[in-house]
Amino acid sequence: MRAAFCPAERQIELRDIAAPVSAGDTVVVRVHACGICGSDLHYYCGGAAPPRVPLGHEISGRIADPGSSAFAVDEPVVVEPLISCDHCDRCQAGEPNLCAKVRVLGNRAPGGFADAVAVPASSIYRVPATIDLDTAMLAEPLAVGVHAAELAAITPGESVLVLGAGVIGLLAAFAAAKRGGVITISARYPQQRAAASDLGASHVIDTERSAILTACAAHPPDVVLETVGGSAPTLDLALEVVRPGGRIVGLGKFNDTISLHPLRFLMKEVRLVGSMTYRRSGAQPDFVHALELLAAERDRLARLITHRVSLAEVARGFAIAADKSSGSLKVGVLPAG
């Protein structure tokens, strides 16, 4: 089968490799769509050494080989791209994201920019008939936003500042708005601004530090969701603007050690929480919640998918996703397209 690798910075290479097979509790999914994520672009743009496996973890598709599972051939599904040990305390508590041995598809296990992918049956969720498989690839990044909003414990009427309006920031803002938060989000590009308003943000502001400080001066936010990462000083900025006793949830993937103002952190009694993907504990798994939101708001959320390319054009898809002047938000790679 075909699969896309990132052999070096700004290079995407399509190769022929052996197709996966089912074994034990492993299911083979025929990939319908896989979204290009910011972490994929992190490798592509040289932010880290690329993995030796095919990239891609925002996967929707159909069951090709159910193995010994209860799934049926051709059932539409989405993939939770975490492969954990299933035995440790964290796995048993429904937190495979915190397993010490967890592997993520597209990083330490073969990912979804391919014709097919093999995953544990426990990582598969059925897609409701009301959601098309193009839109279903948004379940993974939306589950990230759902998890962050839950960790933030947002209640109706609370003010929420979202730093960054990439797709993760936009979907975190959407999930926070669905919990009743009043959303302000910082956005750099016109398409991000338009999408933020469409998804429920009350205020969209510039990404410059001065603009953020001004917006928060009179009414510091109850909650800040940091989604920028990289080398940006945004986590310390979140600490500066959040109200005393407020909450900060960090989603952004930082390249290196960052600094926080220690006295401000102490004096404000701020709660700072990291948010690692999604979990299965609580009332329902974050992926199930994400699929429910997708079913209820399919048309609005589907507008985040601005570009679609075939697997043969995957290199062009990465170039589009990396160039925000293209108007891109989410770029989907469709192997059968």
Side-chain angles (χ1 to χ4, degrees):
M1 71 170 187
R2 302 168 300 167
F5 293 77
C6 180
E9 183 177 344
R10 300 280 174 174
Q11 293 181 28
I12 298 294
E13 183 179 284
L14 202 58
R15 303 175 187 169
D16 286 323
I17 65 171
V21 295
S22 64
D25 67 347
T26 300
V27 172
V28 177
V29 175
R30 182 173 66 254
V31 178
H32 173 89
C34 187
I36 297 176
C37 177
S39 58
D40 297 315
L41 292 176
H42 187 66
Y43 300 127
Y44 176 74
C45 295
R52 297 180 180 180
V53 297
L55 300 179
H57 59 271
E58 300 177 354
I59 305 165
S60 67
R62 293 184 180 276
I63 299 295
D65 185 346
S68 60
S69 76
F71 291 96
V73 172
D74 281 340
E75 265 196 286
V77 296
V78 291
V79 175
E80 180 191 84
L82 304 179
I83 302 177
S84 60
C85 76
D86 286 335
H87 304 299
C88 69
D89 289 346
R90 291 303 91 217
C91 286
Q92 292 298 305
E95 297 175 339
N97 55 322
L98 302 182
C99 173
K101 298 181 180 179
V102 70
R103 295 180 294 147
V104 181
L105 299 186
N107 181 339
R108 294 175 59 202
F113 294 132
D115 289 313
V117 63
V119 294
S122 58
S123 297
I124 300 291
Y125 295 86
R126 292 179 172 90
V127 174
T130 53
I131 307 174
D132 61 277
L133 281 175
D134 279 21
T135 306
M137 71 177 172
L138 295 174
E140 193 278 340
L142 181 53
V144 172
V146 164
H147 184 52
E150 181 179 337
L151 287 173
I154 297 162
T155 58
E158 285 196 304
S159 57
V160 180
L161 171 66
V162 181
L163 294 175
V167 170
I168 292 296
L170 291 168
L171 290 174
F174 172 77
K178 282 296 179 181
R179 291 180 66 100
V182 179
I183 311 300
T184 297
I185 187 169
S186 65
R188 179 171 295 175
Y189 300 99
Q191 69 269 26
Q192 294 175 339
R193 291 175 173 271
S197 297
D198 190 31
L199 293 177
S202 300
H203 306 285
V204 183
I205 61 176
D206 193 73
T207 58
E208 293 296 323
R209 173 184 169 85
S210 58
I212 295 167
L213 291 174
T214 299
C216 299
H219 301 287
D222 299 300
V223 175
V224 181
L225 305 180
E226 194 289 320
T227 75
V228 179
S231 58
T234 38
L235 200 58
D236 198 48
L237 177 60
L239 177 59
E240 184 172 356
V241 300
V242 73
R243 71 161 172 82
R247 289 101 69 199
I248 299 170
V249 177
L251 293 84
K253 182 179 179 181
F254 287 91
N255 295 334
D256 208 342
T257 302
I258 59 173
S259 61
L260 293 174
H261 193 297
L263 185 58
R264 183 179 290 136
F265 180 70
L266 175 73
M267 296 294 289
K268 278 188 158 184
E269 284 197 354
V270 170
R271 280 169 283 172
L272 173 60
V273 180
S275 184
M276 173 59 181
T277 61
Y278 17 72
R279 62 186 174 191
R280 301 173 190 166
S281 58
Q284 60 183 357
D286 293 326
F287 251 77
V288 172
H289 190 180
L291 285 166
E292 289 178 352
L293 289 175
L294 275 176
E297 298 280 3
R298 182 191 63 190
D299 293 342
R300 273 209 295 169
L301 291 166
R303 288 194 283 272
L304 287 174
I305 305 171
T306 54
H307 297 75
R308 294 170 174 82
V309 300
S310 68
L311 186 57
E313 300 176 302
V314 62
R316 184 171 72 87
F318 267 78
I320 291 169
D323 178 14
K324 295 308 176 188
S325 68
S326 67
S328 65
L329 290 169
K330 178 58 65 184
V331 178
V333 178
L334 285 68

